């Protein structure tokens, strides 16, 4: 008797079902890859053979841009290898020079993110981020107060840790301790929805909160000449990030929890009242000084990357934090840095070759003779499309790389300030919590065993939050940003 025959009938059925599912997934994957290859071939042929008025460099830039977009969406290939392949293809095709690729790897944006990752790694390895959050939550005992305070604590971490996935990993112990202390399944579900939602929404507050923000700041500088530093970004985006996070918190509290859940009490452990050591205070002082210098860059003139490097070198010193620089480097998300550098090359190619301007001009030519829509209509359309883009493009930075030349700039040519439109699509792309695979924090909190929330819970929250999010973003673009210098 074979080993397969020796298995019980139910086990054989289960094994056969699993094998069938695996084969179906492989078949679907192959179909997606085949369709993607055909689309890339068709798009490349159209760009090189059917579109007139393009230089060879323009055709190369547009072909690579289209191919990477199809690879990310239709073929569902990993973002970083696709972006690197696209950057290399641009070099080999002559659309950009080799120096552009190496310059991107050593660009100010990548250096800034690298140093910020080192600082975030120190905060994580020392447990300071967790203890600071616990200290903030200590005065609150009722669940409702804890939810609001947790939202505020998570919001503040956006200024310290430059990755939503890193923030999720740092804050996971806080979630687990709160969940265990409260001991109510419905509250656990609410907390599991709250943490990733606020992590993703609050990232908009900081220039270093996501790589997409640095891409947007560079695009704004290139197309409008306006410089967006750390303080300017926070002034424009932090209020929006805070209000959207509070809206998410309110929806979770009053939709997923009942009155009894909201009034339930918890007792904090002794860890929340544990005093900070002298080493902890020194680390916090260095990090606080780094953030303060970032915010006051226009006064002292020292660039963000230099400030970040100095802060990283100091805080990742064994005599200061007890953690060596080598150990802190292990916390750097190299995958994200390489992806960011590669997308910078792709975006640079579209701008330098004039391909982006040509696409904008061709799109605008189709509207000649027609009445341009009102500015608020264009803003609403951009906010809606960018908020939905995460369904097909799972990477936040990739969405910004695609949406800025393909959506923001063409719409801006209809009569809207390009800086405002770039901000709208970039912040709109921060809405990314509809599906379990939409963002790493959602995957992390949704993938626990047993599951803290279901895919239906996530979809329901996303549906409830979508309209307020888009409306709020439109309101800031139309009413708030003009008061701060970003006019429509």
């Amino acid at each position: 008797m074979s080993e397969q025959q020796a298995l019980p009938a139910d086990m054989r059925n289960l094994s056969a079902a699993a094998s069938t599912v695996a084969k179906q997934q492989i078949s679907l994957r192959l179909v997606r890859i085949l369709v993607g290859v055909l689309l890339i071939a068709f798009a490349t042929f159209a760009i090189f053979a059917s579109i007139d008025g393009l230089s060879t460099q323009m055709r190369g830039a547009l072909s690579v841009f289209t191919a990477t977009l199809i690879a990310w969406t239709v073929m569902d290939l990993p973002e970083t290898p696709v972006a690197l392949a696209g950057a290399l293809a641009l070099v080999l095709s002559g659309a950009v020079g080799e120096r552009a690729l190496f310059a991107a790897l050593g660009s100010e944006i990548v250096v800034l993110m690298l140093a910020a990752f080192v600082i975030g790694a120190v905060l994580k390895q020392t447990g300071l981020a967790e203890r600071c959050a616990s200290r903030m939550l200590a005065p609150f005992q009722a669940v409702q107060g804890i939810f609001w305070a947790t939202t505020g604590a998570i919001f503040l971490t956006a200024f310290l840790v430059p990755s939503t996935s890193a923030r999720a990993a740092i804050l996971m112990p806080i979630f687990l301790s709160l969940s265990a202390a409260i001991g109510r399944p419905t509250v656990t579900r609410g907390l599991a929805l709250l943490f990733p939602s606020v992590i993703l929404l609050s990232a908009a507050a900081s220039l270093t909160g996501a790589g997409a923000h640095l891409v947007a700041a560079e695009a704004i500088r290139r197309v409008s000449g306006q410089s967006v530093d750390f303080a300017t970004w926070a002034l424009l985006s932090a209020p929006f990030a805070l209000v959207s996070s509070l809206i998410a918190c309110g929806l979770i509290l009053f939709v997923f929890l009942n009155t009894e859940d909201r009034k339930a009490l918890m007792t904090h452990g002794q860890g929340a009242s544990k005093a900070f050591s002298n080493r902890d205070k020194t680390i916090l002082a260095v990090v606080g000084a780094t953030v303060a210098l970032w915010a006051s860059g226009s006064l002292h003139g020292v660039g963000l990357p230099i400030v970040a490097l100095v802060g990283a070198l100091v805080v990742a010193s064994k005599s200061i934090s007890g953690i060596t620089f080598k150990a802190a480097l292990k916390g750097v998300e190299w995958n994200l840095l390489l992806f960011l550098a590669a997308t910078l090359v792709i975006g640079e190619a579209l701008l330098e070759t004039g391909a982006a301007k040509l696409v904008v001009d061709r799109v605008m030519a189709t509207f000649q003779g027609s009445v341009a829509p009102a500015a608020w209509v264009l803003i609403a359309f951009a906010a809606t499309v960018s908020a939905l883009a995460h369904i097909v493009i799972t990477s936040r930075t990739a969405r910004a790389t695609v949406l800025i030349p393909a959506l923001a700039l063409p719409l801006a040519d209809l009569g809207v300030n390009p800086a405002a439109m770039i901000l709208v699509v970039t912040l709109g792309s921060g809405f990314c919590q509809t599906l379990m695979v939409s963002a790493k924090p959602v995957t992390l909190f949704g993938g626990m065993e047993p599951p803290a929330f279901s895919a239906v819970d996530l979809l329901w929250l996303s549906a409830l939050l979508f309209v307020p999010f888009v409306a709020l973003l439109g309101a800031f673009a139309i009413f708030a940003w003009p008061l701060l210098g970003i006019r429509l």
Side-chain angles (χ1 to χ4, degrees), residues 16-388:
S19 177
T20 301
V21 171
K23 290 179 181 178
Q24 290 175 344
Q25 290 177 339
I26 293 173
S27 299
L28 179 61
R29 182 88 175 176
L30 290 175
V31 169
R32 296 185 69 164
I33 291 176
L34 179 60
V35 171
V37 170
L38 292 175
L39 286 174
I40 290 173
F42 175 78
T44 303
F45 174 79
I47 291 170
F48 276 88
S50 303
I51 303 179
D52 298 326
L54 276 70
S55 66
T56 302
Q57 289 78 13
M58 286 181 180
R59 296 181 195 276
L62 286 174
S63 296
V64 169
F65 174 75
T66 305
T68 54
L69 177 59
I70 293 171
W72 285 331
T73 55
V74 178
M75 303 168 75
D76 194 26
L77 295 179
E79 290 91 357
T80 300
V82 168
L84 286 172
L88 289 172
L90 288 169
V91 173
L92 294 174
S93 68
V96 297
E98 291 184 21
R99 289 186 177 181
L101 176 60
F102 298 125
L105 290 169
S107 67
E108 292 185 356
I109 293 175
V110 174
V111 172
L112 172 60
M113 292 295 283
L114 171 63
F117 271 126
V118 170
I119 295 172
V122 171
L123 292 174
K124 180 180 179 180
Q125 293 180 34
T126 58
L128 259 178
E130 180 184 344
R131 275 178 282 159
C132 288
S134 295
R135 183 70 65 89
M136 287 188 65
L137 299 177
F140 303 90
Q141 289 187 326
V143 165
Q144 182 166 307
I146 289 170
F147 269 60
W148 293 116
T150 298
T151 299
I154 296 174
F155 172 81
L156 292 176
T157 63
F159 296 95
L160 304 176
V161 183
S163 163
T164 53
S165 56
R167 291 166 67 203
I170 290 172
L171 294 168
M172 176 61 80
I174 297 291
F175 162 76
L176 293 174
S177 62
L178 287 176
S179 175
I182 297 171
R184 300 174 72 95
T186 50
V187 175
T188 295
R189 179 182 64 167
L191 284 170
L193 289 169
L194 179 74
F195 271 77
S197 297
V198 178
I199 287 170
L200 294 169
L201 294 171
S202 64
S206 172
L207 181 61
T208 58
H213 303 164
L214 297 167
V215 173
E218 177 64 15
I220 291 173
R221 185 189 67 80
R222 294 290 301 273
V223 302
S224 69
Q226 293 179 271
S227 177
V228 180
D229 57 17
F230 189 88
T232 302
W233 185 278
L235 184 64
L236 293 168
S237 304
F240 166 77
L242 179 59
V243 175
S244 61
S245 297
L246 293 173
I247 291 174
C249 178
L251 287 172
I252 293 169
L253 270 175
F254 292 97
V255 174
F256 293 91
L257 277 66
N258 57 35
T259 303
E260 184 180 350
D261 289 329
R262 293 193 293 271
K263 293 182 178 179
L265 302 178
M266 70 164 285
T267 302
H268 294 275
Q270 294 182 350
S273 59
K274 183 180 178 181
F276 291 123
S277 65
N278 290 333
R279 173 167 284 177
D280 293 338
K281 293 176 182 177
T282 302
I283 295 172
L284 290 174
V286 173
V287 174
T290 302
V291 175
L293 289 171
W294 278 343
S296 57
S298 59
L299 298 177
H300 54 70
V302 181
L304 295 180
I306 300 299
V307 172
L309 282 174
V310 172
L313 287 171
V314 173
V315 81
S317 167
K318 198 167 183 65
S319 59
I320 297 295
S321 63
I323 296 173
T324 63
F325 193 80
K326 181 179 179 180
L329 282 175
K330 295 179 180 178
V332 174
E333 294 191 28
W334 298 102
N335 183 69
L336 178 60
L337 293 183
L338 289 173
F339 174 72
L340 180 59
T343 55
L344 286 175
V345 174
I346 295 172
E348 181 77 8
L350 289 172
L351 291 173
E352 285 294 326
T353 62
K357 184 178 185 304
L358 184 138
V359 169
V360 170
D361 291 343
R362 294 286 176 90
V363 172
M364 290 307 103
T366 63
F367 292 98
Q368 285 183 351
S370 61
V371 178
W376 71 267
V377 174
L378 297 174
I379 292 293
F381 178 74
T384 301
V385 173
S386 57
L388 291 171

Side-chain angles (χ1 to χ4, degrees), residues 453-478:
F453 59 82
S454 68
V456 175
D457 293 329
L458 192 63
L459 188 61
W460 179 228
L461 174 60
S462 178
L464 292 171
L465 184 59
F466 181 81
V467 173
F469 178 88
V470 170
L472 181 69
L473 181 55
F476 267 85
I478 296 169

